[in-house]
Amino acid sequence: AQSVTQLGSHVSVSEGALVLLRCNYSSSVPPYLFWYVQYPNQGLQLLLKYTTGATLVKGINGFEAEFKKSETSFHLTKPSAHMSDAAEYFCAVSETGTASKLTFGTGTRLQVTL
Amino acid sequence: DAGVIQSPRHEVTEMGQEVTLRCKPISGHDYLFWYRQTMMRGLELLIYFNNNVPIDDSGMPEDRFSAKMPNASFSTLKIQPSEPRDSAVYFCASSLGWGRAAFFGQGTRLTVV
């Protein structure tokens, strides 16, 4: 069975500071990993995904994430936060090669302050 | 493409009434998912379809919930009878192939009073 743990339900950073949102996963087979962002009253929007190949994945809006198999992690980072980054972020996992479902973490709400 | 389209965006209904939520997936996508989002339980997968066929409905909470996909461009999620605890945001999503990124609609905010 697969699962996702997002450490920290709320993260607050200053504008211009580094953003780090943590995600650890559990999967019995090589995973597909995703980060989604949800703005208020909106649906989820894909930020980036890892399937195979390069472990450092770049996404939209300056975000990137690195797949670390040894640490079973897929943390999301952005060098410099912008006010418009304030939203809720979801990490998700699905297992390759099986008809398993996409499992979401509980989400991390990012607050950006002046 | 207009993306995944859900209707209505908001629905307020009285307990005991039937509620039908609608979804139009992205053209050409072969997987369709229904999710429910609440503060208490986060995002939960209710059911998903592949090529219009329901594959896994283990997330459907009760027999009061049913979902159909009569063709590749339309799906419904029905709750009958509705209860206040069904109040949530319901998302529809579609993807092209298994393991690919799912594209979400804007959701239907359901309030059962």
Side-chain angles (χ1 to χ4, degrees):
Chain A
Q2 60 197 32
S3 66
V4 173
T5 301
Q6 290 185 241
L7 294 176
S9 58
H10 288 82
V11 171
S12 182
V13 301
S14 300
E15 190 173 36
L18 171 72
V19 176
L20 171 60
L21 305 182
R22 299 178 186 276
C23 172
N24 287 88
Y25 69 90
S26 172
S27 175
S28 56
V29 298
Y32 290 157
L33 294 159
F34 306 83
W35 275 100
Y36 284 84
V37 61
Q38 185 179 30
Y39 298 101
N41 300 315
Q42 298 291 318
L44 280 72
Q45 179 183 2
L46 180 69
L47 270 180
L48 51 79
K49 63 180 180 181
Y50 167 80
T51 53
T52 59
T55 56
L56 181 62
V57 181
K58 295 185 184 298
I60 62 172
N61 301 339
F63 284 93
E64 62 183 35
E66 187 170 11
F67 169 59
K68 292 187 176 180
K69 183 179 178 181
S70 61
E71 299 178 6
T72 61
S73 70
F74 192 58
H75 302 328
L76 182 70
T77 61
K78 182 175 181 178
S80 177
H82 192 272
M83 296 295 289
S84 61
D85 295 326
E88 187 144 20
Y89 293 80
F90 292 90
C91 182
V93 63
S94 71
E95 293 184 335
T96 62
T98 68
S100 63
K101 58 189 180 184
L102 190 64
T103 300
F104 283 87
T106 53
T108 297
R109 184 167 298 277
L110 176 66
Q111 180 182 19
V112 182
T113 59
L114 288 173
Chain B
D1 199 308
V4 176
I5 300 173
Q6 291 186 246
S7 63
R9 288 293 310 277
H10 302 272
E11 177 80 38
V12 180
T13 190
E14 292 185 346
M15 182 174 62
Q17 296 298 305
E18 177 180 295
V19 175
T20 299
L21 311 181
R22 296 173 175 79
C23 174
K24 181 181 188 307
I26 292 173
S27 177
H29 281 192
D30 55 350
Y31 282 86
L32 183 138
F33 308 85
W34 281 101
Y35 286 88
R36 178 172 67 176
Q37 185 178 37
T38 61
M39 290 292 292
M40 293 296 294
R41 301 173 68 91
L43 269 165
E44 303 173 277
L45 177 65
L46 301 178
I47 184 171
Y48 76 90
F49 296 82
N50 176 221
N51 292 323
N52 315 336
V53 176
I55 303 299
D56 183 353
D57 65 354
S58 59
M60 297 284 262
E62 299 173 34
D63 291 345
R64 299 183 296 106
F65 286 69
S66 63
K68 294 182 180 179
M69 192 166 186
N71 57 62
S73 60
F74 184 66
S75 177
T76 59
L77 178 68
K78 185 177 295 185
I79 308 173
Q80 166 62 18
S82 58
E83 297 183 3
R85 60 194 168 118
D86 301 332
S87 297
V89 181
Y90 291 80
F91 288 104
C92 177
S94 69
S95 70
L96 180 59
W98 185 260
R100 303 287 188 89
F103 292 83
F104 283 73
Q106 292 196 301
T108 295
R109 182 174 295 278
L110 173 65
T111 304
V112 183
V113 298

